[in-house]
Coordinates of all heavy atoms in Angstrom, one line a residue:
A123 N 6.9 -21.0 -87.6 CA 6.4 -22.0 -88.6 C 7.4 -23.1 -88.7 O 7.0 -24.3 -88.8 CB 6.1 -21.4 -89.9
S124 N 8.7 -22.8 -88.7 CA 9.7 -23.8 -88.9 C 9.6 -24.8 -87.7 O 9.7 -26.0 -87.9 CB 11.1 -23.2 -88.9 OG 11.2 -22.3 -90.0
I125 N 9.5 -24.3 -86.5 CA 9.4 -25.2 -85.3 C 8.1 -26.1 -85.4 O 8.2 -27.3 -85.1 CB 9.3 -24.3 -84.0 CG1 10.7 -23.7 -83.8 CG2 8.9 -25.2 -82.8 CD1 11.8 -24.7 -83.5
R126 N 7.0 -25.5 -85.9 CA 5.8 -26.4 -86.0 C 6.0 -27.5 -87.1 O 5.7 -28.6 -86.8 CB 4.6 -25.5 -86.5 CG 4.1 -24.5 -85.4 CD 2.8 -24.0 -85.7 NE 2.7 -23.3 -87.0 CZ 3.0 -22.0 -87.2 NH1 3.3 -21.3 -86.1 NH2 2.9 -21.4 -88.4
V127 N 6.7 -27.1 -88.2 CA 6.9 -28.1 -89.2 C 7.9 -29.2 -88.7 O 7.7 -30.4 -89.0 CB 7.5 -27.4 -90.5 CG1 8.0 -28.5 -91.5 CG2 6.4 -26.5 -91.1
L128 N 9.0 -28.8 -88.0 CA 10.0 -29.7 -87.6 C 9.5 -30.6 -86.5 O 10.1 -31.6 -86.2 CB 11.2 -29.0 -87.1 CG 12.0 -28.2 -88.2 CD1 13.2 -27.5 -87.6 CD2 12.6 -29.2 -89.2
A129 N 8.4 -30.3 -85.9 CA 7.8 -31.2 -84.9 C 7.2 -32.5 -85.6 O 7.0 -33.5 -84.9 CB 6.7 -30.5 -84.1
T130 N 7.0 -32.4 -86.9 CA 6.4 -33.6 -87.6 C 7.2 -34.1 -88.7 O 7.0 -35.2 -89.2 CB 5.0 -33.2 -88.1 OG1 5.1 -32.1 -89.1 CG2 4.1 -32.8 -87.0
Q131 N 8.3 -33.4 -89.1 CA 9.2 -33.8 -90.2 C 10.6 -33.3 -90.0 O 10.8 -32.4 -89.2 CB 8.6 -33.4 -91.6 CG 8.5 -31.9 -91.8 CD 8.0 -31.6 -93.2 OE1 8.7 -31.4 -94.1 NE2 6.6 -31.5 -93.2
T132 N 11.5 -33.9 -90.6 CA 12.9 -33.5 -90.5 C 13.3 -32.3 -91.3 O 12.5 -32.0 -92.3 CB 13.9 -34.6 -90.8 OG1 13.8 -34.9 -92.2 CG2 13.5 -35.9 -90.0
L133 N 14.4 -31.6 -91.0 CA 14.8 -30.5 -91.8 C 15.1 -31.0 -93.3 O 14.9 -30.2 -94.2 CB 16.1 -29.9 -91.2 CG 16.7 -28.7 -91.9 CD1 15.7 -27.5 -91.7 CD2 18.1 -28.3 -91.4
A134 N 15.6 -32.2 -93.4 CA 15.9 -32.7 -94.7 C 14.7 -32.8 -95.6 O 14.7 -32.6 -96.8 CB 16.6 -34.1 -94.6
D135 N 13.5 -33.1 -94.9 CA 12.3 -33.3 -95.7 C 11.5 -32.0 -95.8 O 10.5 -31.9 -96.6 CB 11.4 -34.3 -95.0 CG 12.0 -35.7 -95.0 OD1 12.7 -36.0 -96.0 OD2 11.7 -36.5 -94.1
L136 N 11.9 -31.0 -95.1 CA 11.2 -29.7 -95.1 C 11.3 -29.1 -96.5 O 12.3 -29.0 -97.1 CB 11.8 -28.8 -94.0 CG 11.2 -27.4 -93.9 CD1 11.2 -26.9 -92.4 CD2 11.9 -26.4 -94.7
S137 N 10.1 -28.6 -96.9 CA 10.0 -27.9 -98.2 C 10.0 -26.4 -97.9 O 9.2 -25.9 -97.2 CB 8.8 -28.3 -99.0 OG 8.5 -27.3 -100.0
M138 N 11.0 -25.6 -98.5 CA 11.0 -24.2 -98.3 C 9.8 -23.5 -98.8 O 9.2 -22.6 -98.2 CB 12.3 -23.6 -98.9 CG 13.6 -24.1 -98.2 SD 13.8 -23.4 -96.5 CE 14.5 -21.8 -96.9
D139 N 9.2 -24.0 -99.9 CA 8.0 -23.5 -100.5 C 6.8 -23.7 -99.5 O 6.0 -22.8 -99.3 CB 7.7 -24.1 -101.9 CG 8.7 -23.6 -102.9 OD1 9.5 -22.7 -102.6 OD2 8.6 -24.1 -104.1
A140 N 6.7 -24.9 -99.0 CA 5.7 -25.2 -98.1 C 5.8 -24.4 -96.8 O 4.8 -23.9 -96.2 CB 5.6 -26.7 -97.7
L141 N 7.0 -24.2 -96.4 CA 7.3 -23.3 -95.2 C 6.8 -21.9 -95.4 O 6.2 -21.3 -94.5 CB 8.8 -23.4 -94.8 CG 9.2 -22.5 -93.7 CD1 8.5 -22.9 -92.4 CD2 10.7 -22.5 -93.5
A142 N 7.1 -21.4 -96.6 CA 6.7 -20.0 -96.9 C 5.1 -19.9 -96.8 O 4.6 -19.0 -96.3 CB 7.1 -19.6 -98.3
S143 N 4.5 -20.9 -97.3 CA 3.0 -21.0 -97.2 C 2.5 -21.0 -95.8 O 1.6 -20.3 -95.4 CB 2.5 -22.2 -98.0 OG 1.1 -22.2 -97.9
Q144 N 3.2 -21.9 -95.0 CA 2.8 -22.0 -93.5 C 3.0 -20.7 -92.8 O 2.2 -20.4 -91.9 CB 3.7 -23.1 -92.9 CG 3.3 -24.5 -93.2 CD 2.5 -25.1 -92.0 OE1 2.3 -24.4 -91.0 NE2 2.0 -26.3 -92.2
A145 N 4.1 -20.0 -93.1 CA 4.4 -18.7 -92.4 C 3.6 -17.6 -93.0 O 3.6 -16.5 -92.4 CB 5.9 -18.5 -92.5
G146 N 2.9 -17.7 -94.1 CA 2.2 -16.7 -94.7 C 3.1 -15.6 -95.3 O 2.7 -14.4 -95.3
V147 N 4.2 -16.0 -95.9 CA 5.1 -15.1 -96.5 C 5.4 -15.5 -98.0 O 5.1 -16.7 -98.3 CB 6.5 -14.9 -95.8 CG1 6.2 -14.5 -94.3 CG2 7.3 -16.2 -95.8
S148 N 5.9 -14.6 -98.8 CA 6.2 -15.0 -100.1 C 7.4 -15.8 -100.2 O 8.3 -15.7 -99.3 CB 6.3 -13.8 -101.0 OG 7.5 -13.1 -100.7
R149 N 7.6 -16.6 -101.2 CA 8.8 -17.4 -101.4 C 10.0 -16.5 -101.5 O 11.1 -16.8 -101.0 CB 8.7 -18.2 -102.7 CG 9.8 -19.2 -102.9 CD 9.5 -20.0 -104.2 NE 10.5 -21.1 -104.4 CZ 11.6 -20.9 -105.1 NH1 11.9 -19.7 -105.5 NH2 12.5 -21.9 -105.2
A150 N 9.9 -15.3 -102.2 CA 11.0 -14.4 -102.3 C 11.4 -13.8 -101.0 O 12.6 -13.7 -100.7 CB 10.6 -13.3 -103.3
N151 N 10.4 -13.5 -100.1 CA 10.8 -13.0 -98.8 C 11.4 -14.0 -97.9 O 12.3 -13.7 -97.1 CB 9.5 -12.4 -98.1 CG 9.2 -11.0 -98.5 OD1 10.1 -10.3 -98.9 ND2 7.9 -10.6 -98.3
L152 N 11.0 -15.3 -98.0 CA 11.6 -16.3 -97.3 C 13.0 -16.5 -97.6 O 13.9 -16.5 -96.7 CB 10.8 -17.7 -97.5 CG 11.5 -18.9 -96.8 CD1 11.5 -18.7 -95.3 CD2 10.7 -20.2 -97.3
Y153 N 13.3 -16.5 -98.9 CA 14.7 -16.7 -99.3 C 15.6 -15.5 -99.1 O 16.8 -15.5 -99.0 CB 14.8 -17.1 -100.8 CG 14.6 -18.6 -101.0 CD1 13.3 -19.1 -101.3 CD2 15.6 -19.5 -100.8 CE1 13.1 -20.5 -101.5 CE2 15.4 -20.9 -100.9 CZ 14.1 -21.4 -101.3 OH 13.9 -22.7 -101.4
R154 N 14.9 -14.3 -99.0 CA 15.7 -13.1 -98.6 C 16.1 -13.2 -97.2 O 17.3 -12.8 -96.8 CB 14.8 -11.9 -98.8 CG 15.5 -10.5 -98.4 CD 14.6 -9.4 -98.6 NE 13.4 -9.5 -97.8 CZ 13.3 -9.1 -96.5 NH1 14.4 -8.7 -95.9 NH2 12.2 -9.2 -95.9
L155 N 15.3 -13.7 -96.3 CA 15.6 -13.9 -94.9 C 16.6 -15.0 -94.7 O 17.5 -14.9 -93.9 CB 14.3 -14.1 -94.1 CG 13.4 -12.9 -94.0 CD1 12.1 -13.3 -93.4 CD2 14.0 -11.8 -93.1
F156 N 16.3 -16.2 -95.4 CA 17.0 -17.4 -95.2 C 17.3 -18.0 -96.5 O 16.5 -18.7 -97.1 CB 16.2 -18.4 -94.3 CG 15.7 -17.8 -93.0 CD1 14.4 -17.5 -92.8 CD2 16.6 -17.5 -92.0 CE1 13.9 -17.0 -91.6 CE2 16.2 -16.9 -90.8 CZ 14.8 -16.7 -90.6
P157 N 18.5 -17.8 -97.0 CA 18.9 -18.3 -98.4 C 18.8 -19.8 -98.6 O 18.8 -20.3 -99.7 CB 20.3 -17.8 -98.6 CG 20.5 -16.6 -97.6 CD 19.6 -17.0 -96.4
G158 N 18.8 -20.5 -97.5 CA 18.7 -22.0 -97.6 C 18.5 -22.6 -96.2 O 18.3 -21.9 -95.2
K159 N 18.5 -23.9 -96.2 CA 18.2 -24.6 -94.9 C 19.2 -24.4 -93.9 O 18.9 -24.4 -92.7 CB 17.9 -26.1 -95.2 CG 16.7 -26.4 -96.0 CD 16.5 -27.9 -96.2 CE 15.2 -28.2 -97.0 NZ 15.0 -29.6 -97.2
T160 N 20.5 -24.3 -94.3 CA 21.6 -24.1 -93.3 C 21.3 -22.8 -92.6 O 21.4 -22.7 -91.3 CB 22.9 -24.1 -94.0 OG1 23.2 -25.4 -94.5 CG2 24.0 -23.8 -93.0
A161 N 21.1 -21.7 -93.3 CA 20.8 -20.4 -92.7 C 19.6 -20.4 -91.9 O 19.5 -19.8 -90.8 CB 20.7 -19.3 -93.8
L162 N 18.5 -21.1 -92.3 CA 17.3 -21.3 -91.5 C 17.6 -22.0 -90.2 O 17.2 -21.5 -89.1 CB 16.3 -22.0 -92.3 CG 15.0 -22.4 -91.6 CD1 14.2 -21.1 -91.2 CD2 14.1 -23.3 -92.4
F163 N 18.3 -23.1 -90.2 CA 18.5 -23.9 -89.0 C 19.4 -23.1 -88.1 O 19.3 -23.2 -86.8 CB 19.0 -25.3 -89.3 CG 19.0 -26.2 -88.1 CD1 17.7 -26.6 -87.6 CD2 20.1 -26.6 -87.5 CE1 17.6 -27.4 -86.5 CE2 20.0 -27.5 -86.4 CZ 18.8 -27.9 -85.9
K164 N 20.4 -22.4 -88.6 CA 21.3 -21.6 -87.7 C 20.4 -20.5 -87.0 O 20.6 -20.3 -85.8 CB 22.4 -20.9 -88.6 CG 23.3 -20.1 -87.7 CD 24.4 -19.4 -88.6 CE 25.3 -18.5 -87.7 NZ 26.4 -17.9 -88.6
A165 N 19.5 -19.9 -87.7 CA 18.7 -18.9 -87.1 C 17.8 -19.5 -86.0 O 17.5 -18.9 -85.0 CB 17.8 -18.2 -88.1

Side-chain angles (χ1 to χ4, degrees):
S124 300
I125 289 297
R126 291 196 301 270
V127 171
L128 291 177
T130 59
Q131 61 181 268
T132 66
L133 184 70
D135 294 332
L136 179 146
S137 162
M138 294 292 275
D139 288 354
L141 176 61
S143 178
Q144 281 261 357
V147 303
S148 68
R149 186 176 185 275
N151 274 340
L152 175 62
Y153 278 99
R154 178 180 61 82
L155 291 168
F156 308 108
K159 291 183 182 181
T160 296
L162 173 66
F163 194 66
K164 180 179 178 180

